[in-house]
Amino acid sequence: MSLSPQTFYDRVAPLYDATYNGDRLAGAENALVTALIRAAGCDRGRVLELACGTGAYLEHSVTAPARYLGTDISAGMLREARRKHPAYRFCQADFAALPLRDACVDSAICLFGSFSYAARPEAVVAELARVLAPGGRFFVMAVGPRAASLAVHQLDGTPVAVPWRTLGARELRDLFEGFRQLRGRAIRCAPDPLLRWLPGPLALAARRLEALTVGLLAPDRCYSQIVTGVR
Ligand SMILES: C[S@@+](CC[C@H](N)C(=O)[O-])C[C@H]1O[C@@H](n2cnc3c(N)ncnc32)[C@H](O)[C@@H]1O
């Protein structure tokens, strides 16, 4: 079976958190990513989240409702986000065509592989450049080549073909070449089953250690690629 990302996430939405965000390893990774976002200054001012899904970022950040807007193409994922975070604003939008004014946000984030669903990544980069105010910062995560063999998309245990594109560290960074202070990072090297049995703080320490070693020395050996920069 083959489904568009929108249809796949509409169908998976009610089970998404339990499937992908429910265990303590996912909690440790969310905490690590939130810390990296803060260190990159991407939680400042008006924060736009592209492909926010069920709003997992809000469970770990301290961004006040008035400063946050979450956007996603899937009505199903947004329904879950609104149910969990009723004080926050969300809007259904393709990240390649944002219904927002020019230069209206100070920080833009796109987390946990979402950027890999961009059919035209250049169009998403152009939208980021348009909506970020001068000096605004972005933090974008894509799925690295190492994840190409994982059966990430499943419905009721059956693998589903969903178009996405893995991006190597260099390839991801090159897409953002018009921005300043570009920095690549990479996280998640050890396969999840190796770390899943660790208590949360140890899993977080292991993921941090990987980011500071493999992530810097051999980023393409990691499952998640990150690029940050300034408009
Ligand atoms: C792996 S989920 C990640 C969700 C969330 N960022 C998180 O960390 O849990 C990928 C998300 O990308 C969204 N998505 C896929 N294609 C999109 C597009 N063209 N525009 C906006 N969102 C999109 C999906 O609907 C889904 O919510």
Side-chain angles (χ1 to χ4, degrees):
M1 182 172 28
S2 171
L3 295 176
S4 71
Q6 183 173 5
T7 308
F8 174 76
Y9 280 102
D10 277 347
R11 293 191 41 189
V12 95
L15 299 171
Y16 181 84
D17 283 336
T19 309
Y20 298 100
N21 273 332
D23 65 13
R24 52 187 186 221
L25 181 56
E29 286 166 3
N30 277 316
L32 172 60
V33 166
T34 304
L36 294 175
I37 291 170
R38 198 173 308 128
C42 290
D43 59 348
R44 296 187 196 149
R46 298 159 292 180
V47 178
L48 170 67
E49 183 172 7
L50 305 178
C52 63
T54 60
Y57 169 69
L58 295 174
E59 277 137 51
H60 295 265
S61 86
V62 292
T63 306
R67 292 201 295 113
Y68 175 90
L69 174 66
T71 63
D72 198 284
I73 202 164
S74 160
M77 295 293 269
L78 289 172
R79 195 174 307 121
E80 296 298 314
R82 289 190 178 106
R83 184 180 57 74
K84 290 193 299 172
H85 306 287
Y88 286 82
R89 288 178 304 146
F90 299 95
C91 137
Q92 188 174 12
D94 185 332
F95 48 23
L98 295 168
L100 299 175
R101 285 179 290 111
D102 295 356
C104 66
V105 298
D106 305 297
S107 303
I109 58 176
C110 182
L111 308 180
F112 288 103
S114 302
F115 187 73
S116 282
Y117 292 105
R120 291 182 304 122
E122 303 79 7
V124 182
V125 175
E127 280 297 77
L128 273 179
R130 184 180 69 75
V131 301
L132 272 173
R137 291 166 182 267
F138 73 87
F139 183 106
V140 167
M141 293 177 74
V143 177
R146 179 144 184 227
S149 59
L150 298 181
V152 171
H153 302 106
Q154 303 197 11
L155 281 176
D156 301 326
T158 305
V160 178
V162 178
W164 71 340
R165 174 176 166 194
T166 62
L167 290 157
R170 183 76 216 198
E171 207 179 351
L172 179 62
R173 196 185 156 117
D174 285 352
L175 282 166
F176 290 85
E177 64 180 358
F179 290 82
R180 295 183 290 121
Q181 297 177 32
L182 283 185
R183 178 160 185 217
R185 303 206 58 141
I187 61 167
R188 291 186 67 209
C189 175
D192 290 0
L194 280 183
L195 298 189
R196 190 151 274 144
W197 54 272
L198 290 177
L202 278 184
L204 177 56
R207 285 293 190 226
R208 269 189 207 284
L209 188 63
E210 289 173 343
L212 291 171
T213 52
V214 188
L216 293 176
L217 298 172
D220 284 338
R221 295 187 67 83
C222 293
Y223 292 100
S224 289
Q225 302 296 330
I226 301 170
V227 62
T228 65
V230 178
R231 153 112 154 62

